[in-house]
Amino acid sequence: MKLQTHQFPYGSDNYGLLLHCRDTGQTACVDAGDIEATQAALAETGWGLTHIFITHHHADHTDGLAALKSAYHATVLGPKIHSAVSNLYDTQLGDGDHFEFAGRRIDVLATPGHTLDMINFYSADDQIVCTGDTLFVVGCGRIFGGDASMMWSSLEKLMALPDDTVVYCSHEYTLANAKFAVTVDPDNAALVERQAAFEALRENGLPTVPTRIDLEKATNPFLRASDPSIRAHLAMTDATDAEVFAEIRRRKDNF
Ligand code: ZN
Ligand code: FE
């Protein structure tokens, strides 16, 4: 049976995620930014926390980690790159590593760029990937820890996942992302249509997360560096994909 999911908001625009296996009773939370919000989600679902998956060290993802770990004696899996919180990780993981959770294999994809330590968690069995602050709905993370070509390589790893993979990311940035996306990809009817759907969801207080790999490949400008009409729009017909991506990222930073 597939993992059950429970997504919950915290902070100004963060999402936490619980992954629960009915067969084994095991539950993981993805990131640990807010202990109270995580505990409320656990109380609401009735699930007991056994594992904590950390995508990267930023405070909005790890502020509750020490308290959550000790309250539940949960096993913490996080990036192998050293950070201020990596002493709290029981297992440290890098690109290509995998581990067992609730009787299934979880694959680790290193996706540096937003931070150098960023890792993403992928379950092929469940068709789920948790992208942290690497891939957002019609957006991608700001580059703090690497450079644009590093981030582009990271996004390429996510684009290589099956089209029907469900993408859970860590922030509700979608409306702002869509507002920018239509400026570089104005003729994309699927994007314009999605933008209207996002507005309707948010007006009703509903999340735009999760998304799917195929939807992002069709509408997320940061994944569309090879698209002829975006390249023409940017006057970058002969540039490499990484260069086009870098230009789109630069424009978003100044938007
Ligand atoms: Zn972050
Ligand atoms: Fe974040």
Side-chain angles (χ1 to χ4, degrees):
M1 202 185 291
K2 287 196 177 180
L3 291 173
Q4 293 178 276
T5 58
H6 178 81
Q7 179 176 260
F8 57 94
Y10 66 89
S12 54
D13 48 39
N14 279 85
Y15 287 123
L17 181 68
L18 301 180
L19 298 168
H20 177 72
C21 170
R22 240 184 282 196
D23 302 323
T24 63
Q26 294 190 320
T27 305
C29 66
V30 181
D31 289 332
D34 183 326
I35 185 167
E36 279 167 35
T38 307
Q39 284 181 315
L42 290 165
E44 194 184 327
T45 54
W47 300 339
L49 190 68
T50 56
H51 295 74
I52 302 171
F53 301 168
I54 296 295
T55 61
H56 67 299
H57 70 279
H58 279 167
D60 62 314
H61 301 255
T62 58
D63 265 355
L65 179 56
L68 206 56
K69 180 182 182 175
S70 70
Y72 294 88
H73 306 290
T75 301
V76 182
L77 301 110
K80 74 174 167 200
I81 289 177
H82 178 80
S83 72
V85 289
S86 54
N87 62 309
L88 293 167
Y89 307 157
D90 299 301
T91 302
Q92 295 190 260
L93 302 159
D95 195 44
D97 287 344
H98 60 89
F99 61 92
E100 197 205 295
F101 164 69
R104 70 252 296 142
R105 171 179 166 143
I106 307 290
D107 285 291
V108 176
L109 308 169
T111 61
H114 175 72
T115 62
L116 288 177
D117 69 342
M118 181 74 75
I119 58 172
N120 293 167
F121 298 89
Y122 172 59
S123 168
D125 288 350
D126 302 290
Q127 297 160 292
I128 287 175
V129 66
C130 300
T131 60
D133 288 359
T134 297
L135 177 63
F136 294 126
V137 183
V138 295
C140 78
R142 249 175 215 270
I143 296 164
F144 295 123
D147 57 25
S149 74
M150 185 185 270
M151 186 60 143
W152 173 246
S153 303
S154 295
L155 292 172
E156 283 188 306
K157 287 184 197 171
L158 296 171
M159 290 164 72
L161 296 176
D163 274 347
D164 58 359
T165 305
V166 177
V167 176
Y168 284 92
C169 60
S170 298
H171 290 272
E172 180 61 67
Y173 288 156
T174 308
L175 289 186
N177 287 342
K179 206 174 267 187
F180 168 75
V182 295
T183 68
V184 292
D185 198 8
D187 302 323
N188 186 337
L191 172 61
V192 172
E193 208 172 288
R194 271 193 106 189
Q195 186 181 26
F198 296 145
E199 281 165 8
L201 284 169
R202 297 307 294 148
E203 273 164 28
N204 291 303
L206 296 170
T208 63
V209 179
T211 178
R212 265 169 54 140
I213 290 292
D214 54 356
L215 289 173
E216 293 310 308
K217 287 199 294 196
T219 59
N220 186 327
F222 295 99
L223 303 187
R224 292 168 58 71
S226 65
D227 181 74
S229 89
I230 291 185
R231 289 170 154 261
H233 186 78
L234 300 177
M236 293 184 78
T237 317
D238 298 324
T240 65
D241 288 350
E243 287 165 348
V244 175
F245 167 77
E247 174 60 16
I248 297 171
R249 187 61 257 177
R250 192 190 63 73
R251 288 183 183 218
K252 174 69 164 68
D253 291 342
N254 298 314
F255 185 65

